[in-house]
Amino acid sequence: MGDKVWILGVPLSPVTLAASLHQLSQWLKEDKTRLIFTPNAEIISMAQDNPALKHALVAADLTVPDGIGVIWAARQFGTPLPERVPGIELLEQLLALAAEENYTVYFLGGRPGVAAEAARRLQLRYENLTVAGFHHGYFDPQAEQQVLAQIAAVKPDILAVALGAPKQELWLTRWAGKLPVKIALGVGGSLDVIAGQVKRAPLIWQRLGLEWLYRMVTDRRRLKRFWHLPRFVGLVYKTKHQAHDLNV
Ligand code: UDP
């Protein structure tokens, strides 16, 4: 992997989907916990006001550029990233690899029933996939200890956490290193998609780089987060021009 590309204080790994998967497959052979996040424009905007989130992203082992906004911003700064790596595609390919090579996975997050349904569907899709366990993402501090004990007991190779940003990044940064897992990754709303609760944008929207717009108009909860996107664009322009002014 080359040097990370920095966007508004957040590092992005300059990787393709294939390269990220290759890296994860190497890490699965090692006895160490690796943290993987999938920053997009919204998460990078959130990190501007949330130092703990920014720190979590800086400390991660791999941060894949999830979204067209990040690709656009990297180009603005003259440090292009190779391609968009949607978190859900990385997760699905990682699970296909896990099924092939006998790695186990634990799903944490989503409303009650979602992780279970995602696990059921994934086991139909990838016949040999071993789901070591799952738990919904609405637990109180007392239940948290039980969740941690359960994960520690089943020792999954892969821990996929869908608590939404910034919760999943902060939760994983706090706990992943204390758990016997090799790959710990934040997967946002992926379990909802896999469980059939939420649909991904049609392929044409994805190809046009408009998946974010599709999600915004089909999921009303996201509307209140919309302002992160114009703010991200504004901050990128501002930073770019400041850098330009300093150079002349
Ligand atoms: N979630 C959760 N616990 C919480 C808050 C959120 O398990 O306390 C789940 C929520 O049910 C959803 C996911 O986290 O499955 C976040 O989804 P969102 O679409 O917001 O994430 P994104 O893909 O935008 O990161």
Side-chain angles (χ1 to χ4, degrees), residues 86-100:
I88 186 159
E89 288 176 26
L90 183 61
L91 175 65
E92 286 176 337
Q93 297 214 6
L94 179 63
L95 295 175
L97 177 104
E100 245 166 60

Side-chain angles (χ1 to χ4, degrees), residues 109-111 137-138 162-165 167 188-189 192 215 221-222 225:
R111 291 185 307 281
Y138 295 86
L163 298 174
K167 211 167 176 182
D192 290 331
R215 291 166 89 186
R221 281 178 318 119
R222 286 179 175 275
R225 294 174 3 202

Side-chain angles (χ1 to χ4, degrees), residues 12-33:
L12 278 304
S13 307
V15 285
T16 58
L17 177 56
S20 331
L21 196 69
H22 179 72
Q23 179 65 79
L24 297 188
S25 74
Q26 296 300 315
W27 284 344
L28 278 165
K29 296 182 189 132
E30 296 172 16
D31 216 4
K32 200 174 161 198
T33 302

Side-chain angles (χ1 to χ4, degrees), residues 8 28 54 65 67 70 130 141 163 192 194 204 220 232:
L8 306 178
L28 278 165
K54 198 181 258 184
V70 178
T130 305
L163 298 174
D192 290 331
I194 292 168
I204 183 75
R220 298 186 53 156
F232 176 80

